[in-house]
CSV table of all heavy atoms in Angstrom, one decimal:
chain,number,residue,atom,x,y,z
A,1,ILE,N,0.8,-1.2,0.0
A,1,ILE,CA,0.0,0.0,0.0
A,1,ILE,C,0.9,1.2,0.0
A,1,ILE,O,0.6,2.2,-0.8
A,1,ILE,CB,-0.9,0.0,1.2
A,1,ILE,CG1,-1.9,-1.1,1.1
A,1,ILE,CG2,-1.7,1.3,1.3
A,1,ILE,CD1,-2.8,-1.3,2.4
A,2,GLY,N,1.9,1.2,0.8
A,2,GLY,CA,2.8,2.4,0.9
A,2,GLY,C,3.5,2.7,-0.4
A,2,GLY,O,3.6,3.8,-0.8
A,3,LYS,N,3.9,1.6,-1.1
A,3,LYS,CA,4.6,1.8,-2.4
A,3,LYS,C,3.6,2.3,-3.4
A,3,LYS,O,4.0,3.2,-4.3
A,3,LYS,CB,5.2,0.4,-2.9
A,3,LYS,CG,6.4,0.0,-2.1
A,3,LYS,CD,6.9,-1.4,-2.5
A,3,LYS,CE,8.0,-1.9,-1.7
A,3,LYS,NZ,8.5,-3.2,-2.1
A,4,ALA,N,2.4,1.8,-3.4
A,4,ALA,CA,1.3,2.3,-4.3
A,4,ALA,C,1.1,3.8,-4.1
A,4,ALA,O,0.9,4.6,-5.0
A,4,ALA,CB,0.1,1.5,-4.1
A,5,LEU,N,1.0,4.2,-2.8
A,5,LEU,CA,0.8,5.6,-2.5
A,5,LEU,C,2.0,6.5,-2.9
A,5,LEU,O,1.8,7.6,-3.4
A,5,LEU,CB,0.6,5.8,-1.0
A,5,LEU,CG,-0.7,5.2,-0.4
A,5,LEU,CD1,-0.7,5.2,1.1
A,5,LEU,CD2,-2.0,5.9,-1.0
A,6,HIS,N,3.2,6.0,-2.7
A,6,HIS,CA,4.4,6.7,-3.2
A,6,HIS,C,4.3,6.9,-4.7
A,6,HIS,O,4.7,7.9,-5.2
A,6,HIS,CB,5.7,6.0,-2.8
A,6,HIS,CG,6.0,6.3,-1.4
A,6,HIS,ND1,6.3,7.6,-0.9
A,6,HIS,CD2,6.3,5.4,-0.3
A,6,HIS,CE1,6.6,7.5,0.4
A,6,HIS,NE2,6.6,6.2,0.8
A,7,SER,N,3.9,5.9,-5.4
A,7,SER,CA,3.9,5.9,-6.9
A,7,SER,C,2.9,7.0,-7.4
A,7,SER,O,3.2,7.7,-8.3
A,7,SER,CB,3.5,4.5,-7.5
A,7,SER,OG,2.2,4.2,-7.2
A,8,ILE,N,1.8,7.2,-6.7
A,8,ILE,CA,0.9,8.2,-7.2
A,8,ILE,C,1.4,9.6,-6.9
A,8,ILE,O,1.2,10.5,-7.6
A,8,ILE,CB,-0.6,8.0,-6.7
A,8,ILE,CG1,-0.7,8.1,-5.2
A,8,ILE,CG2,-1.2,6.7,-7.2
A,8,ILE,CD1,-2.1,8.2,-4.7
A,9,ASN,N,2.1,9.7,-5.7
A,9,ASN,CA,2.6,11.0,-5.3
A,9,ASN,C,3.8,11.3,-6.3
A,9,ASN,O,4.1,12.5,-6.5
A,9,ASN,CB,3.1,10.9,-3.9
A,9,ASN,CG,2.0,10.9,-2.9
A,9,ASN,OD1,0.9,11.4,-3.2
A,9,ASN,ND2,2.2,10.4,-1.7
A,10,ASP,N,4.4,10.3,-6.9
A,10,ASP,CA,5.5,10.5,-7.8
A,10,ASP,C,4.9,10.5,-9.3
A,10,ASP,O,5.7,10.5,-10.2
A,10,ASP,CB,6.6,9.4,-7.7
A,10,ASP,CG,7.3,9.5,-6.4
A,10,ASP,OD1,7.4,10.6,-5.8
A,10,ASP,OD2,7.9,8.5,-6.0
A,11,LYS,N,3.6,10.5,-9.4
A,11,LYS,CA,2.9,10.5,-10.6
A,11,LYS,C,3.2,9.4,-11.5
A,11,LYS,O,3.4,9.5,-12.7
A,11,LYS,CB,3.1,11.9,-11.3
A,11,LYS,CG,2.7,13.1,-10.5
A,11,LYS,CD,2.9,14.4,-11.2
A,11,LYS,CE,2.4,15.5,-10.3
A,11,LYS,NZ,2.6,16.9,-11.0
A,12,LYS,N,3.3,8.2,-10.9
A,12,LYS,CA,3.6,6.9,-11.6
A,12,LYS,C,2.3,6.1,-11.5
A,12,LYS,O,1.4,6.3,-10.7
A,12,LYS,CB,4.8,6.2,-11.1
A,12,LYS,CG,6.1,6.9,-11.2
A,12,LYS,CD,7.2,6.2,-10.5
A,12,LYS,CE,8.5,6.9,-10.6
A,12,LYS,NZ,9.6,6.2,-9.9
A,13,SER,N,2.2,5.0,-12.3
A,13,SER,CA,1.0,4.2,-12.3
A,13,SER,C,1.1,3.3,-11.1
A,13,SER,O,2.1,2.5,-11.0
A,13,SER,CB,1.0,3.3,-13.6
A,13,SER,OG,0.8,4.2,-14.7
A,14,PRO,N,0.1,3.3,-10.2
A,14,PRO,CA,0.2,2.5,-9.0
A,14,PRO,C,-0.3,1.1,-9.2
A,14,PRO,O,-1.0,0.8,-10.3
A,14,PRO,CB,-0.8,3.3,-8.1
A,14,PRO,CG,-1.8,3.9,-9.0
A,14,PRO,CD,-1.0,4.2,-10.2
A,15,ALA,N,-0.1,0.2,-8.3
A,15,ALA,CA,-0.6,-1.2,-8.4
A,15,ALA,C,-2.1,-1.1,-8.1
A,15,ALA,O,-2.6,-0.2,-7.4
A,15,ALA,CB,0.1,-2.0,-7.3
A,16,GLY,N,-2.8,-2.1,-8.6
A,16,GLY,CA,-4.3,-2.2,-8.4
A,16,GLY,C,-4.6,-2.9,-7.1
A,16,GLY,O,-3.7,-3.6,-6.5
A,17,ALA,N,-5.8,-2.8,-6.6
A,17,ALA,CA,-6.3,-3.4,-5.4
A,17,ALA,C,-6.1,-4.9,-5.4
A,17,ALA,O,-5.7,-5.5,-4.4
A,17,ALA,CB,-7.7,-3.0,-5.1
A,18,GLU,N,-6.4,-5.5,-6.5
A,18,GLU,CA,-6.3,-7.0,-6.5
A,18,GLU,C,-4.9,-7.4,-6.3
A,18,GLU,O,-4.6,-8.5,-5.7
A,18,GLU,CB,-6.8,-7.5,-7.9
A,18,GLU,CG,-8.3,-7.3,-8.1
A,18,GLU,CD,-9.1,-8.2,-7.2
A,18,GLU,OE1,-8.6,-9.2,-6.6
A,18,GLU,OE2,-10.3,-7.9,-7.0
A,19,GLN,N,-3.9,-6.7,-6.8
A,19,GLN,CA,-2.5,-7.0,-6.6
A,19,GLN,C,-2.1,-6.8,-5.2
A,19,GLN,O,-1.4,-7.6,-4.5
A,19,GLN,CB,-1.6,-6.2,-7.6
A,19,GLN,CG,-0.1,-6.5,-7.4
A,19,GLN,CD,0.7,-5.6,-8.3
A,19,GLN,OE1,0.2,-5.0,-9.2
A,19,GLN,NE2,2.0,-5.6,-8.1
A,20,VAL,N,-2.5,-5.6,-4.6
A,20,VAL,CA,-2.1,-5.2,-3.3
A,20,VAL,C,-2.7,-6.1,-2.2
A,20,VAL,O,-2.0,-6.5,-1.3
A,20,VAL,CB,-2.4,-3.8,-3.0
A,20,VAL,CG1,-2.2,-3.4,-1.5
A,20,VAL,CG2,-1.7,-2.8,-3.9
A,21,PHE,N,-3.9,-6.5,-2.4
A,21,PHE,CA,-4.6,-7.3,-1.4
A,21,PHE,C,-4.8,-8.8,-1.8
A,21,PHE,O,-5.7,-9.5,-1.3
A,21,PHE,CB,-6.0,-6.7,-1.1
A,21,PHE,CG,-6.0,-5.4,-0.5
A,21,PHE,CD1,-6.1,-4.2,-1.2
A,21,PHE,CD2,-5.8,-5.2,0.9
A,21,PHE,CE1,-6.0,-3.0,-0.7
A,21,PHE,CE2,-5.7,-4.0,1.5
A,21,PHE,CZ,-5.8,-2.8,0.7
A,22,GLY,N,-3.8,-9.2,-2.7
A,22,GLY,CA,-3.9,-10.6,-3.2
A,22,GLY,C,-3.9,-11.7,-2.1
A,22,GLY,O,-4.5,-12.7,-2.3
A,23,ARG,N,-3.2,-11.4,-1.0
A,23,ARG,CA,-3.1,-12.5,0.0
A,23,ARG,C,-4.5,-12.8,0.7
A,23,ARG,O,-4.6,-13.8,1.3
A,23,ARG,CB,-2.1,-12.0,1.2
A,23,ARG,CG,-0.7,-12.1,0.8
A,23,ARG,CD,0.2,-11.6,1.9
A,23,ARG,NE,1.6,-11.8,1.7
A,23,ARG,CZ,2.3,-12.9,2.1
A,23,ARG,NH1,1.6,-13.9,2.7
A,23,ARG,NH2,3.5,-13.0,1.8
A,24,TYR,N,-5.4,-11.9,0.6
A,24,TYR,CA,-6.7,-12.0,1.2
A,24,TYR,C,-7.7,-12.8,0.3
A,24,TYR,O,-8.6,-13.4,0.9
A,24,TYR,CB,-7.3,-10.7,1.6
A,24,TYR,CG,-6.6,-10.0,2.7
A,24,TYR,CD1,-5.5,-9.1,2.4
A,24,TYR,CD2,-6.9,-10.1,4.0
A,24,TYR,CE1,-4.8,-8.4,3.4
A,24,TYR,CE2,-6.2,-9.5,5.0
A,24,TYR,CZ,-5.2,-8.6,4.7
A,24,TYR,OH,-4.5,-8.0,5.7
A,25,SER,N,-7.5,-12.8,-1.0
A,25,SER,CA,-8.6,-13.2,-1.9
A,25,SER,C,-9.0,-14.6,-1.6
A,25,SER,O,-10.2,-14.9,-1.4
A,25,SER,CB,-8.1,-13.1,-3.3
A,25,SER,OG,-7.7,-11.8,-3.7
A,26,ASP,N,-8.1,-15.6,-1.6
A,26,ASP,CA,-8.5,-17.0,-1.4
A,26,ASP,C,-9.1,-17.2,0.0
A,26,ASP,O,-10.0,-18.0,0.2
A,26,ASP,CB,-7.3,-17.9,-1.6
A,26,ASP,CG,-7.6,-19.4,-1.5
A,26,ASP,OD1,-8.5,-19.8,-2.3
A,26,ASP,OD2,-7.1,-20.1,-0.6
A,27,LEU,N,-8.5,-16.6,1.0
A,27,LEU,CA,-9.0,-16.8,2.4
A,27,LEU,C,-10.4,-16.3,2.5
A,27,LEU,O,-11.3,-16.9,3.1
A,27,LEU,CB,-8.1,-16.1,3.4
A,27,LEU,CG,-6.7,-16.7,3.6
A,27,LEU,CD1,-5.9,-15.8,4.5
A,27,LEU,CD2,-6.8,-18.1,4.3
A,28,VAL,N,-10.7,-15.1,2.0
A,28,VAL,CA,-12.0,-14.5,2.1
A,28,VAL,C,-13.0,-15.4,1.3
A,28,VAL,O,-14.1,-15.7,1.8
A,28,VAL,CB,-12.1,-13.1,1.5
A,28,VAL,CG1,-13.5,-12.6,1.3
A,28,VAL,CG2,-11.3,-12.1,2.4
A,29,ARG,N,-12.6,-15.9,0.2
A,29,ARG,CA,-13.5,-16.7,-0.6
A,29,ARG,C,-13.8,-18.0,0.1
A,29,ARG,O,-15.0,-18.5,0.1
A,29,ARG,CB,-12.8,-17.1,-2.0
A,29,ARG,CG,-13.7,-18.0,-2.9
A,29,ARG,CD,-12.9,-18.3,-4.2
A,29,ARG,NE,-11.6,-19.0,-3.9
A,29,ARG,CZ,-11.5,-20.3,-3.6
A,29,ARG,NH1,-12.6,-21.0,-3.6
A,29,ARG,NH2,-10.4,-20.8,-3.4
A,30,ARG,N,-12.8,-18.6,0.7
A,30,ARG,CA,-13.0,-19.9,1.4
A,30,ARG,C,-13.8,-19.8,2.7
A,30,ARG,O,-14.6,-20.7,3.1
A,30,ARG,CB,-11.7,-20.6,1.7
A,30,ARG,CG,-10.9,-21.0,0.4
A,30,ARG,CD,-9.7,-21.7,0.6
A,30,ARG,NE,-9.9,-23.0,1.3
A,30,ARG,CZ,-8.9,-23.8,1.6
A,30,ARG,NH1,-7.6,-23.5,1.4
A,30,ARG,NH2,-9.2,-25.0,2.2
A,31,ILE,N,-13.7,-18.6,3.4
A,31,ILE,CA,-14.5,-18.4,4.6
A,31,ILE,C,-16.0,-18.3,4.2
A,31,ILE,O,-16.8,-18.8,4.8
A,31,ILE,CB,-14.0,-17.2,5.3
A,31,ILE,CG1,-12.6,-17.4,5.9
A,31,ILE,CG2,-15.0,-16.8,6.4
A,31,ILE,CD1,-12.0,-16.2,6.5
A,32,GLY,N,-16.2,-17.6,3.1
A,32,GLY,CA,-17.6,-17.5,2.5
A,32,GLY,C,-18.6,-16.8,3.3
A,32,GLY,O,-19.8,-17.1,3.2
A,33,ASP,N,-18.1,-15.8,4.1
A,33,ASP,CA,-19.1,-15.0,4.9
A,33,ASP,C,-19.5,-13.8,4.1
A,33,ASP,O,-18.7,-13.1,3.6
A,33,ASP,CB,-18.4,-14.6,6.2
A,33,ASP,CG,-19.3,-13.7,7.1
A,33,ASP,OD1,-20.1,-14.3,7.8
A,33,ASP,OD2,-19.2,-12.5,7.0
A,34,ARG,N,-20.8,-13.6,4.0
A,34,ARG,CA,-21.4,-12.6,3.2
A,34,ARG,C,-20.9,-11.2,3.7
A,34,ARG,O,-20.5,-10.3,2.9
A,34,ARG,CB,-22.9,-12.6,3.2
A,34,ARG,CG,-23.6,-11.6,2.4
A,34,ARG,CD,-25.1,-11.7,2.5
A,34,ARG,NE,-25.7,-11.8,1.2
A,34,ARG,CZ,-27.1,-11.9,1.0
A,34,ARG,NH1,-27.8,-12.0,2.1
A,34,ARG,NH2,-27.6,-11.9,-0.2
């Protein structure tokens, strides 16, 4: 997240949310809580 914020402050293309929060995707899907 910090690197993404630095990139926009330096006017560079930041990483997307799916890339930044990738560690959560499978866990959230498998827990399956609405």
Side-chain angles (χ1 to χ4, degrees):
I1 295 173
K3 289 176 182 177
L5 293 171
H6 279 302
S7 70
I8 62 171
N9 289 335
D10 293 337
K11 299 182 180 178
K12 298 177 181 179
S13 298
E18 292 292 345
Q19 178 182 349
V20 171
F21 295 96
R23 285 180 173 268
Y24 291 89
S25 300
D26 183 59
L27 290 171
V28 170
R29 179 184 59 79
R30 295 183 66 180
I31 292 172
D33 180 84
R34 183 182 228 178

